[in-house]
mmCIF file of all heavy atoms in Angstrom:
data_model
loop_
_atom_site.group_PDB
_atom_site.id
_atom_site.type_symbol
_atom_site.label_atom_id
_atom_site.label_comp_id
_atom_site.label_asym_id
_atom_site.label_seq_id
_atom_site.Cartn_x
_atom_site.Cartn_y
_atom_site.Cartn_z
ATOM 1 N N THR A 1750 -2.561 -6.124 8.225
ATOM 2 C CA THR A 1750 -1.116 -6.291 8.435
ATOM 3 C C THR A 1750 -0.814 -6.899 9.794
ATOM 4 O O THR A 1750 0.045 -7.784 9.902
ATOM 5 C CB THR A 1750 -0.400 -4.947 8.256
ATOM 6 O OG1 THR A 1750 -0.708 -4.418 6.972
ATOM 7 C CG2 THR A 1750 1.103 -5.103 8.397
ATOM 8 N N ILE A 1751 -1.497 -6.449 10.850
ATOM 9 C CA ILE A 1751 -1.172 -7.010 12.179
ATOM 10 C C ILE A 1751 -1.563 -8.490 12.251
ATOM 11 O O ILE A 1751 -0.888 -9.274 12.900
ATOM 12 C CB ILE A 1751 -1.760 -6.188 13.348
ATOM 13 C CG1 ILE A 1751 -3.280 -6.078 13.259
ATOM 14 C CG2 ILE A 1751 -1.139 -4.822 13.439
ATOM 15 C CD1 ILE A 1751 -3.874 -5.298 14.426
ATOM 16 N N GLU A 1752 -2.608 -8.850 11.520
ATOM 17 C CA GLU A 1752 -2.945 -10.288 11.437
ATOM 18 C C GLU A 1752 -1.850 -11.050 10.696
ATOM 19 O O GLU A 1752 -1.373 -12.092 11.144
ATOM 20 C CB GLU A 1752 -4.259 -10.485 10.669
ATOM 21 C CG GLU A 1752 -5.490 -9.945 11.373
ATOM 22 C CD GLU A 1752 -6.767 -10.053 10.537
ATOM 23 O OE1 GLU A 1752 -6.681 -10.366 9.319
ATOM 24 O OE2 GLU A 1752 -7.845 -9.823 11.090
ATOM 25 N N ASP A 1753 -1.450 -10.493 9.549
ATOM 26 C CA ASP A 1753 -0.514 -11.214 8.684
ATOM 27 C C ASP A 1753 0.893 -11.292 9.268
ATOM 28 O O ASP A 1753 1.655 -12.205 8.949
ATOM 29 C CB ASP A 1753 -0.478 -10.572 7.294
ATOM 30 C CG ASP A 1753 -1.814 -10.729 6.572
ATOM 31 O OD1 ASP A 1753 -2.614 -11.589 6.998
ATOM 32 O OD2 ASP A 1753 -2.070 -9.987 5.614
ATOM 33 N N LEU A 1754 1.244 -10.311 10.110
ATOM 34 C CA LEU A 1754 2.558 -10.370 10.759
ATOM 35 C C LEU A 1754 2.538 -11.343 11.936
ATOM 36 O O LEU A 1754 3.582 -11.671 12.490
ATOM 37 C CB LEU A 1754 2.973 -8.971 11.240
ATOM 38 C CG LEU A 1754 3.380 -7.982 10.142
ATOM 39 C CD1 LEU A 1754 3.598 -6.593 10.738
ATOM 40 C CD2 LEU A 1754 4.631 -8.451 9.396
ATOM 41 N N GLY A 1755 1.341 -11.774 12.330
ATOM 42 C CA GLY A 1755 1.234 -12.781 13.399
ATOM 43 C C GLY A 1755 0.991 -12.218 14.783
ATOM 44 O O GLY A 1755 1.147 -12.930 15.778
ATOM 45 N N PHE A 1756 0.617 -10.934 14.870
ATOM 46 C CA PHE A 1756 0.325 -10.376 16.195
ATOM 47 C C PHE A 1756 -0.985 -10.928 16.755
ATOM 48 O O PHE A 1756 -1.239 -10.850 17.950
ATOM 49 C CB PHE A 1756 0.307 -8.846 16.147
ATOM 50 C CG PHE A 1756 1.683 -8.255 15.982
ATOM 51 C CD1 PHE A 1756 2.070 -7.685 14.769
ATOM 52 C CD2 PHE A 1756 2.599 -8.311 17.019
ATOM 53 C CE1 PHE A 1756 3.348 -7.163 14.608
ATOM 54 C CE2 PHE A 1756 3.886 -7.789 16.873
ATOM 55 C CZ PHE A 1756 4.262 -7.212 15.664
ATOM 56 N N CYS A 1757 -1.833 -11.444 15.868
ATOM 57 C CA CYS A 1757 -3.036 -12.151 16.303
ATOM 58 C C CYS A 1757 -3.396 -13.157 15.220
ATOM 59 O O CYS A 1757 -2.824 -13.144 14.134
ATOM 60 C CB CYS A 1757 -4.197 -11.198 16.585
ATOM 61 S SG CYS A 1757 -4.766 -10.309 15.119
ATOM 62 N N GLU A 1758 -4.354 -13.998 15.538
ATOM 63 C CA GLU A 1758 -4.823 -15.012 14.582
ATOM 64 C C GLU A 1758 -5.459 -14.315 13.390
ATOM 65 O O GLU A 1758 -6.052 -13.240 13.531
ATOM 66 C CB GLU A 1758 -5.880 -15.835 15.329
ATOM 67 C CG GLU A 1758 -6.099 -17.238 14.832
ATOM 68 C CD GLU A 1758 -7.210 -17.893 15.681
ATOM 69 O OE1 GLU A 1758 -7.084 -17.864 16.924
ATOM 70 O OE2 GLU A 1758 -8.171 -18.392 15.088
ATOM 71 N N LYS A 1759 -5.365 -14.946 12.194
ATOM 72 C CA LYS A 1759 -6.013 -14.371 11.009
ATOM 73 C C LYS A 1759 -7.510 -14.208 11.251
ATOM 74 O O LYS A 1759 -8.171 -15.150 11.717
ATOM 75 C CB LYS A 1759 -5.780 -15.266 9.792
ATOM 76 C CG LYS A 1759 -6.250 -14.620 8.485
ATOM 77 C CD LYS A 1759 -5.433 -13.402 8.141
ATOM 78 C CE LYS A 1759 -6.102 -12.501 7.121
ATOM 79 N NZ LYS A 1759 -5.350 -11.233 6.917
ATOM 80 N N GLY A 1760 -8.002 -13.022 10.934
ATOM 81 C CA GLY A 1760 -9.438 -12.758 11.100
ATOM 82 C C GLY A 1760 -9.797 -12.166 12.446
ATOM 83 O O GLY A 1760 -10.927 -11.719 12.653
ATOM 84 N N LYS A 1761 -8.831 -12.149 13.390
ATOM 85 C CA LYS A 1761 -9.128 -11.645 14.752
ATOM 86 C C LYS A 1761 -8.592 -10.236 14.962
ATOM 87 O O LYS A 1761 -8.570 -9.742 16.096
ATOM 88 C CB LYS A 1761 -8.500 -12.578 15.806
ATOM 89 C CG LYS A 1761 -8.961 -14.021 15.717
ATOM 90 C CD LYS A 1761 -10.386 -14.178 16.223
ATOM 91 C CE LYS A 1761 -10.731 -15.660 16.368
ATOM 92 N NZ LYS A 1761 -12.176 -15.872 16.505
ATOM 93 N N GLY A 1762 -8.152 -9.589 13.881
ATOM 94 C CA GLY A 1762 -7.619 -8.238 14.014
ATOM 95 C C GLY A 1762 -8.635 -7.263 14.601
ATOM 96 O O GLY A 1762 -8.285 -6.354 15.352
ATOM 97 N N GLY A 1763 -9.891 -7.464 14.245
ATOM 98 C CA GLY A 1763 -10.951 -6.585 14.740
ATOM 99 C C GLY A 1763 -11.073 -6.629 16.250
ATOM 100 O O GLY A 1763 -11.351 -5.608 16.901
ATOM 101 N N GLU A 1764 -10.864 -7.806 16.823
ATOM 102 C CA GLU A 1764 -10.902 -7.928 18.296
ATOM 103 C C GLU A 1764 -9.619 -7.384 18.905
ATOM 104 O O GLU A 1764 -9.635 -6.770 19.975
ATOM 105 C CB GLU A 1764 -11.062 -9.401 18.715
ATOM 106 C CG GLU A 1764 -12.415 -9.980 18.345
ATOM 107 C CD GLU A 1764 -12.462 -11.502 18.546
ATOM 108 O OE1 GLU A 1764 -11.774 -12.020 19.444
ATOM 109 O OE2 GLU A 1764 -13.189 -12.160 17.767
ATOM 110 N N PHE A 1765 -8.511 -7.614 18.212
ATOM 111 C CA PHE A 1765 -7.196 -7.217 18.744
ATOM 112 C C PHE A 1765 -7.118 -5.709 18.999
ATOM 113 O O PHE A 1765 -6.502 -5.261 19.963
ATOM 114 C CB PHE A 1765 -6.104 -7.638 17.749
ATOM 115 C CG PHE A 1765 -4.706 -7.414 18.231
ATOM 116 C CD1 PHE A 1765 -4.047 -8.351 19.016
ATOM 117 C CD2 PHE A 1765 -4.019 -6.244 17.894
ATOM 118 C CE1 PHE A 1765 -2.746 -8.146 19.455
ATOM 119 C CE2 PHE A 1765 -2.714 -6.024 18.334
ATOM 120 C CZ PHE A 1765 -2.082 -6.977 19.117
ATOM 121 N N VAL A 1766 -7.749 -4.921 18.109
ATOM 122 C CA VAL A 1766 -7.595 -3.462 18.206
ATOM 123 C C VAL A 1766 -8.558 -2.830 19.225
ATOM 124 O O VAL A 1766 -8.461 -1.631 19.506
ATOM 125 C CB VAL A 1766 -7.783 -2.774 16.834
ATOM 126 C CG1 VAL A 1766 -6.773 -3.312 15.821
ATOM 127 C CG2 VAL A 1766 -9.207 -2.934 16.297
ATOM 128 N N LEU A 1767 -9.457 -3.636 19.786
ATOM 129 C CA LEU A 1767 -10.410 -3.087 20.761
ATOM 130 C C LEU A 1767 -9.702 -2.758 22.082
ATOM 131 O O LEU A 1767 -8.592 -3.228 22.329
ATOM 132 C CB LEU A 1767 -11.546 -4.085 21.021
ATOM 133 C CG LEU A 1767 -12.438 -4.425 19.829
ATOM 134 C CD1 LEU A 1767 -13.481 -5.475 20.239
ATOM 135 C CD2 LEU A 1767 -13.122 -3.177 19.277
ATOM 136 N N ASP A 1768 -10.364 -1.992 22.912
ATOM 137 C CA ASP A 1768 -9.878 -1.688 24.269
ATOM 138 C C ASP A 1768 -8.468 -1.120 24.275
ATOM 139 O O ASP A 1768 -7.650 -1.475 25.112
ATOM 140 C CB ASP A 1768 -9.927 -2.961 25.145
ATOM 141 C CG ASP A 1768 -11.313 -3.594 25.158
ATOM 142 O OD1 ASP A 1768 -12.296 -2.834 25.233
ATOM 143 O OD2 ASP A 1768 -11.407 -4.837 25.049
ATOM 144 N N GLY A 1769 -8.178 -0.254 23.312
ATOM 145 C CA GLY A 1769 -6.874 0.413 23.308
ATOM 146 C C GLY A 1769 -5.710 -0.503 22.996
ATOM 147 O O GLY A 1769 -4.569 -0.236 23.397
ATOM 148 N N GLY A 1770 -5.953 -1.588 22.269
ATOM 149 C CA GLY A 1770 -4.883 -2.543 21.964
ATOM 150 C C GLY A 1770 -3.691 -1.930 21.262
ATOM 151 O O GLY A 1770 -2.574 -2.421 21.395
ATOM 152 N N LEU A 1771 -3.915 -0.838 20.518
ATOM 153 C CA LEU A 1771 -2.819 -0.224 19.762
ATOM 154 C C LEU A 1771 -2.297 1.061 20.421
ATOM 155 O O LEU A 1771 -1.409 1.718 19.893
ATOM 156 C CB LEU A 1771 -3.292 0.118 18.346
ATOM 157 C CG LEU A 1771 -3.778 -1.049 17.466
ATOM 158 C CD1 LEU A 1771 -4.282 -0.530 16.120
ATOM 159 C CD2 LEU A 1771 -2.645 -2.060 17.244
ATOM 160 N N VAL A 1772 -2.889 1.428 21.563
ATOM 161 C CA VAL A 1772 -2.570 2.729 22.165
ATOM 162 C C VAL A 1772 -1.318 2.643 23.027
ATOM 163 O O VAL A 1772 -1.194 1.780 23.893
ATOM 164 C CB VAL A 1772 -3.767 3.243 23.000
ATOM 165 C CG1 VAL A 1772 -3.412 4.568 23.683
ATOM 166 C CG2 VAL A 1772 -5.006 3.420 22.121
#
Side-chain angles (χ1 to χ4, degrees):
Chain A
T1750 304
I1751 58 179
E1752 293 176 349
D1753 294 342
L1754 288 173
F1756 288 107
C1757 64
E1758 205 181 308
K1759 188 66 197 174
K1761 303 286 190 195
E1764 292 170 31
F1765 186 86
V1766 301
L1767 297 178
D1768 306 319
L1771 300 177
V1772 177

